[in-house]
Amino acid sequence: MSNQGYADELRSERGYLAGLYTRLDAERARARGRYTTAVGGNGLEAMERDVHVRASAKEVKRLDVADNGLCFGRLDTLSGEHRYIGRIGLFDEAADYEPVLLDWRAPASRSFYTATAASPENMRRRRQFHSRGRTLVDFTDEVLGRPDGDARGDAALLAAVNAPRGEGMRDIVATIQAEQDEIIRLEHPGVLVIEGGPGTGKTVVALHRVAYLLYTQRERMERHGVLVVGPNPAFLNHISRVLPSLGESDVVFMTAGDLVPGLRVTAEDEPGVARLKGSLKAVEVLAAAVADRQRLPVEPVAVELGGVTGRIDAETAAWARDEARASGLPHNEARAVFVEIITYALTERAIGRIGKGWLTRSDKDGWEQLRKDLISELAEDEVFVATLDELWPVLTPEALLGSLYASPERLRAAGADASLFRVDGTAWTVSDVPLLDELVDLLGKDKAVVDSAERERKAEAAYAAKVLDSMITREDMMDDEDHLFATDLLFAEDLAERFVEHDTRELAERAAADRDWTYRHVVVDEAQELSEMDWRVLMRRCPGRSFTVVGDLAQRRSAAGATAWAAMLEPYVPDRWVYRSLTVNYRTPAEIMTVAAAVLADFAPAVQPPESVRACGVAPWSRQVTAAELADAVADFVRDEAGREGTSVVIGPPGVPGAVAASETKGLEFDAVLVVDPDKILADGPRGAAELYVALTRATQRLGVLHQGPLPQALRGLVPVGTPG
């Protein structure tokens, strides 16, 4: 294309994009108008009004996020049709809703990501736009189907991966590669495992897959939402903008330490303890700990009843315990069976003694009336109530697990390892969270608490009804034009009930606060770190077993984590999981990946490192410093990077000034990385080697290493310098 031809095409494309933005602004204005009308109510009932408000607010949000990079490309078909590809779909109402912009997830858009010179898919050309704000800066063309065509299709990708990093992960909607697109659009109803080395884009592919599923299966997924589980809060903050930038907001972000509502746990156990808690054997320990709290009296307990003395002995309690356990109910709910049997035994014996000589079983009315009187008496008897609480207490997960950890005797009784003992039983760690969640099911709900909540709910409804009734004044009733009837007064109570029951919180907020909430799809990132017990929690959260699992077994640091995907998944989804791998490294330049690959070869020689798509032209360096020089050397790095565009981080073992642990940077990326004391990181055994591998692969442009001791053999490929250049 000549320079003049390119300029004419650029002018034409700018005009087309300007028209798209005009259409977007009109859509946005209409959506905001619908939102304003919905907020005003317009005569709608409260619940119906809320539905309209939510729907219109979601539409406004969807249109707002489309403003940045609205249209990023064009496909030209062999028949001469132009298909413009963008973040959302826009249509021409005046032309039978013909698409003027295709949503990137639409089937007709797929060739934009998958067509090649060798396999053009009936396409003649792919055009990629480079925009700044609403202005089209330039474009590149890739002629398809002709090996001698102007193939500049990698320009957009290389521009994206070379660009300085900012805050948060960016979407890749404009630069999705063919192997990524295949995974994003994979129609698999079960579990999809995406494995890839550092920088292969597995996280962002998983998030785009969520956006695709929400687009193609919105009716099935929207009401229950999607759960995204990541390794730490920093990671979740890093990825949190991706889905909203794609117009999707019904997503809950959590770490494994957040999966029980009300808890935000980040502390970790030492590896041996984490391995014990993460094993499925923990289920047996918890069941035994619950059973240990279902006790028999050492000596018979005397209970005064109707003027006679009854006794709760071991034989009676054993009968009641057996019946309660045989009910199959969780512990707290089975307590009702236990209490019923004990109560029956005491009252039967007491009636026989009290009514001796004048009351027989044939007098059913007299017998049952006396029983009711005795049951009422028992309910007020402090000894009886205290004995029941001792033999079959109402338990919470926190109380049971905390008392288990704090008692060597209870640990022994439950068959648990002595290493689980700790003085502060409720000093929760991330490994405790799945155990607490397991106990929710083992213990069940406390009926008294449930009944109390129901009474409170009804009281709130009654109060709301009273308030609404008081708003209906005598004047209203006398108004000839708008008088009220008895049915209107009944409606006030009904409306109050619906007001109390209808939860107006956003889906993500409601789901995060509800332990029993179930999701239609779950994304698990850094999944190699999850234990067997963690997987039990997640499977409970998604009964449909629809998962996107993202990980890299070579980066596993948790002693309780996965060593093979099949071991974790087969118990839950046999024959319903598929595996896909990503092999191209878009983040880490070849110079840095060569260094990291040497570390990988030492601790995981069978694992093939990903192939970097680019080089950065800057050699990774190392510098040996003394203990006295270390702080100044770190400060020099921080100061130098502060003057550059982009992001940087210092990674090192505890005690290094300004450094974070490698585990805190998992899934993150920075323009520049300084790794301090790699020999001390490696000293943590296999976990340390994985940590160093993670640390070395966070950089997109520049990598430096400071070391006090000898440089580890695997890092001898670094360029030694006196001071970093």
Side-chain angles (χ1 to χ4, degrees):
M1 186 185 298
S2 67
N3 288 340
Q4 183 58 47
Y6 178 86
D8 291 344
E9 280 283 296
L10 182 61
R11 189 178 305 109
S12 174
E13 297 291 28
R14 282 173 174 166
Y16 192 88
L17 264 64
L20 292 178
Y21 276 110
T22 298
R23 201 175 294 273
L24 175 68
D25 290 340
E27 281 288 326
R28 185 184 289 136
R30 284 193 290 269
R32 286 177 175 161
R34 289 191 293 269
Y35 175 78
T36 301
T37 301
V39 170
N42 200 26
L44 298 174
E45 293 183 12
M47 189 179 299
E48 189 178 358
R49 168 182 168 274
D50 183 58
V51 170
H52 282 274
V53 169
R54 286 174 184 267
S56 54
K58 186 172 291 186
E59 178 65 6
V60 170
K61 189 179 296 184
R62 184 183 77 89
L63 294 170
D64 282 344
V65 300
D67 205 59
N68 183 29
L70 173 63
C71 176
F72 46 77
R74 189 184 93 184
L75 275 173
D76 295 352
T77 69
L78 292 176
S79 63
E81 176 192 1
H82 296 335
R83 297 179 185 174
Y84 287 86
I85 315 299
R87 290 183 175 276
I88 64 171
L90 292 175
F91 303 89
D92 186 351
E93 299 91 335
D96 293 328
Y97 285 88
E98 279 293 311
V100 294
L101 181 66
L102 288 171
D103 191 298
W104 67 275
R105 296 166 287 193
S109 300
R110 184 166 192 174
S111 295
F112 184 78
Y113 302 111
T114 59
T116 64
S119 178
E121 301 182 13
N122 295 318
M123 298 297 155
R124 184 173 63 85
R125 176 169 54 194
R126 172 171 42 231
R127 174 168 289 177
Q128 293 177 299
F129 297 145
H130 173 213
S131 298
R132 186 176 297 115
R134 291 191 168 200
T135 302
L136 176 60
V137 177
D138 56 35
F139 65 81
T140 59
D141 279 349
E142 181 181 1
V143 178
L144 303 169
R146 283 197 353 234
D148 59 340
D150 180 14
R152 292 186 288 167
D154 286 338
L157 171 64
L158 291 175
V161 297
N162 280 315
R165 267 48 185 176
E167 289 190 12
M169 178 180 282
R170 296 168 293 192
D171 65 64
I172 59 169
V173 64
T175 59
I176 294 170
Q177 301 302 291
E179 71 166 358
Q180 297 172 329
D181 185 79
E182 179 187 352
I183 294 172
I184 289 170
R185 297 176 192 263
L186 185 65
E187 298 290 347
H188 179 70
V191 177
L192 167 63
V193 176
I194 307 173
E195 184 163 28
T200 53
K202 53 189 179 293
T203 296
V204 74
V205 166
L207 295 175
H208 283 67
R209 174 170 164 76
V210 168
Y212 176 76
L213 292 174
L214 285 167
Y215 176 80
T216 58
Q217 304 177 30
R218 190 166 300 281
E219 186 174 344
R220 184 182 75 86
M221 296 180 66
E222 193 169 43
R223 289 193 176 187
H224 286 256
V226 174
L227 172 64
V228 177
V229 179
N232 54 57
F235 173 84
L236 294 180
N237 183 61
H238 178 66
I239 69 171
S240 62
R241 296 176 179 86
V242 175
L243 284 166
S245 77
L246 298 173
E248 304 299 348
S249 57
D250 291 334
V251 181
V252 178
F253 294 91
M254 290 185 179
T255 69
D258 304 334
L259 288 171
V260 171
L263 290 181
R264 292 291 182 271
V265 183
T266 58
E268 294 186 1
D269 285 303
E270 62 90 16
V273 172
R275 187 184 299 109
L276 289 171
K277 291 180 180 179
S279 167
L280 287 180
K281 293 179 181 177
V283 177
E284 299 173 10
V285 170
L286 295 176
V290 173
D292 183 52
R293 303 300 292 272
Q294 300 165 356
R295 300 191 166 184
L296 307 178
V298 178
E299 298 291 339
V301 179
V303 178
E304 296 300 322
L305 185 60
V308 300
T309 301
R311 284 179 171 76
I312 304 175
D313 54 28
E315 183 180 6
T316 301
W319 172 33
R321 184 176 68 176
D322 291 345
E323 291 291 329
R325 289 176 175 176
S327 71
L329 295 170
H331 170 86
N332 288 333
E333 295 168 37
R335 174 185 161 102
V337 178
F338 181 82
V339 172
E340 181 181 9
I341 298 296
I342 296 290
T343 301
Y344 175 81
L346 286 177
T347 55
E348 276 290 298
R349 294 167 189 166
I351 292 172
R353 294 170 62 187
I354 296 170
K356 189 175 183 179
W358 63 270
L359 182 63
T360 66
R361 287 189 179 275
S362 60
D363 184 1
K364 293 182 180 179
D365 291 341
W367 194 281
E368 287 306 316
Q369 183 57 52
L370 183 53
R371 184 192 301 282
K372 289 179 181 178
D373 294 341
L374 294 177
I375 289 175
S376 297
E377 186 178 337
L378 280 176
E380 302 295 327
D381 189 280
E382 294 181 359
V383 173
F384 177 73
V385 172
T387 301
L388 292 180
D389 289 341
E390 175 66 26
L391 300 181
W392 199 289
V394 173
L395 298 170
T396 65
E398 293 80 3
L400 177 66
L401 193 59
S403 62
L404 176 68
Y405 288 150
S407 170
E409 294 79 14
R410 284 181 171 158
L411 286 170
R412 280 195 298 272
D417 193 278
S419 64
L420 298 185
F421 171 79
R422 63 187 182 210
V423 175
D424 183 357
T426 58
W428 306 124
T429 65
V430 174
S431 301
D432 292 326
V433 173
L435 277 62
L436 290 167
D437 192 75
E438 188 79 27
L439 283 169
V440 173
D441 284 350
L442 287 175
L443 296 177
K445 296 179 179 178
D446 178 1
K447 188 176 184 302
V449 172
V450 172
D451 290 346
S452 175
E454 178 64 13
R455 287 194 298 271
E456 184 176 345
R457 186 194 66 80
K458 288 183 176 179
E460 288 177 353
Y463 175 75
K466 184 177 180 181
V467 171
L468 287 171
D469 284 345
S470 69
M471 295 170 64
I472 303 172
T473 64
R474 188 175 184 82
E475 263 183 273
D476 295 328
M477 297 174 126
M478 300 286 291
D479 192 323
D480 289 333
E481 294 183 1
D482 190 22
H483 57 276
L484 296 176
F485 299 96
T487 52
D488 296 306
L489 297 177
L490 291 174
F491 171 74
E493 183 177 353
D494 178 60
L495 182 60
E497 185 80 11
R498 295 170 77 177
F499 170 77
V500 172
E501 291 183 351
H502 186 54
D503 196 332
T504 59
R505 293 174 296 173
E506 292 295 325
L507 180 145
E509 186 180 359
R510 285 182 284 133
D514 185 356
R515 184 263 175 186
D516 295 324
W517 188 279
T518 57
Y519 298 89
R520 285 292 183 262
H521 192 76
V522 176
V523 176
V524 187
D525 209 319
E526 299 294 342
Q528 72 277 356
E529 307 298 346
L530 269 60
S531 70
E532 293 175 312
M533 291 298 293
D534 289 323
W535 280 108
R536 284 177 67 86
V537 179
L538 294 177
M539 292 297 169
R540 282 193 284 268
R541 298 295 191 272
C542 188
R545 305 292 196 258
S546 178
F547 283 76
T548 300
V549 175
V550 181
D552 179 11
L553 295 178
Q555 295 186 58
R556 179 179 66 88
R557 63 181 292 273
S558 171
T563 56
W565 299 117
M568 292 297 186
L569 298 175
E570 281 291 333
Y572 304 103
V573 285
D575 304 321
R576 281 195 65 226
W577 68 281
V578 296
Y579 175 89
R580 295 290 185 273
S581 64
L582 293 170
T583 58
V584 179
N585 189 331
Y586 301 100
R587 177 179 68 217
T588 317
E591 297 91 337
I592 296 175
M593 198 61 220
T594 299
V595 175
V599 174
L600 179 66
D602 266 7
F603 77 93
V607 178
Q608 185 70 25
E611 181 179 353
S612 296
V613 75
R614 67 189 175 96
C616 65
V618 180
W621 55 266
S622 67
R623 176 186 171 197
Q624 188 164 16
V625 296
T626 65
E629 296 170 331
L630 180 61
D632 287 342
V634 172
D636 289 342
F637 169 83
V638 173
R639 184 183 61 253
D640 291 345
E641 289 300 329
R644 301 177 188 253
E645 188 178 5
T647 60
S648 63
V649 69
V650 179
I651 301 174
V656 175
V660 300
S663 59
E664 296 178 31
T665 66
K666 296 202 79 167
L668 308 183
E669 55 184 32
F670 306 87
D671 291 89
V673 172
L674 179 67
V675 178
V676 181
D677 287 335
D679 54 323
K680 293 181 181 177
I681 298 176
L682 279 173
D684 201 11
R687 184 168 80 161
E691 290 272 84
L692 182 58
Y693 182 59
V694 169
L696 295 171
T697 53
R698 299 306 96 193
T700 65
Q701 302 290 344
R702 300 175 294 281
L703 172 67
V705 174
L706 294 177
H707 59 105
Q708 299 179 72
L711 195 65
Q713 182 64 37
L715 298 182
R716 296 298 169 89
L718 293 167
V719 177
V721 297
T723 56

